[in-house]
Every structure is written in structure tokens, then in C-alpha cells.
Amino acid sequence: GEYGNHVGYDDFFAFADEFGTSTAEADFDPVFDISGTDGDPDGRIDVHDFFVFADNWRRRLGDNDLPGQ
């Protein structure tokens, strides 16, 4: 992202571009499918993913507390 290894504005804009997409669409990017209602990726980029994204705002990539690590 914009802050080097931190979740920042560049990441937010990329996430916003993908928000609302699902596996049914050719341009779906699973990188942003962070979480579903049960906490696992669900094939949709929606509010559940946004909440996890927001929880990790400005955190450094590689931290053990980031989802999927």
C-alpha cells in the first residue's frame, strides 16, 4: 500500500474497486475476499470483508495478527 508494508490508502482504493464483486464475475479478485459470515472467505467481496479490512487499517503487513497469516 501507500505506506510501504502497511494497509493504507492504495489498498483501500483497490478494495473499493472490487467491493460488490463475486466469483460469478470474470474480474473477481480473491485477494480481497477476506471473510464471510462464518469468518472464512465466501466468494463475495462485501461488508464482512470491509470490516476485516478496516480492523487492519495501517497495520504492518507480516504482523501475525493479520487475517490469513
Side-chain angles (χ1 to χ4, degrees):
E2 179 181 15
Y3 299 103
N5 289 332
H6 288 80
V7 179
Y9 289 104
D10 288 345
D11 305 303
F12 173 75
F13 294 130
F15 180 87
D17 284 343
E18 296 296 324
F19 191 85
T21 61
S22 71
T23 55
E25 299 170 56
D27 62 345
F28 175 75
D29 188 346
V31 167
F32 297 102
D33 185 15
I34 306 167
S35 182
T37 56
D38 63 358
D40 293 323
D42 61 0
R44 296 184 309 240
I45 301 170
D46 56 17
V47 69
H48 301 289
D49 305 297
F50 176 73
F51 289 145
V52 174
F53 181 90
D55 284 344
N56 288 287
W57 182 253
R58 300 289 307 257
R59 289 195 180 168
R60 187 173 54 88
L61 298 177
D63 288 349
N64 291 335
D65 57 348
L66 289 174
Q69 295 193 15

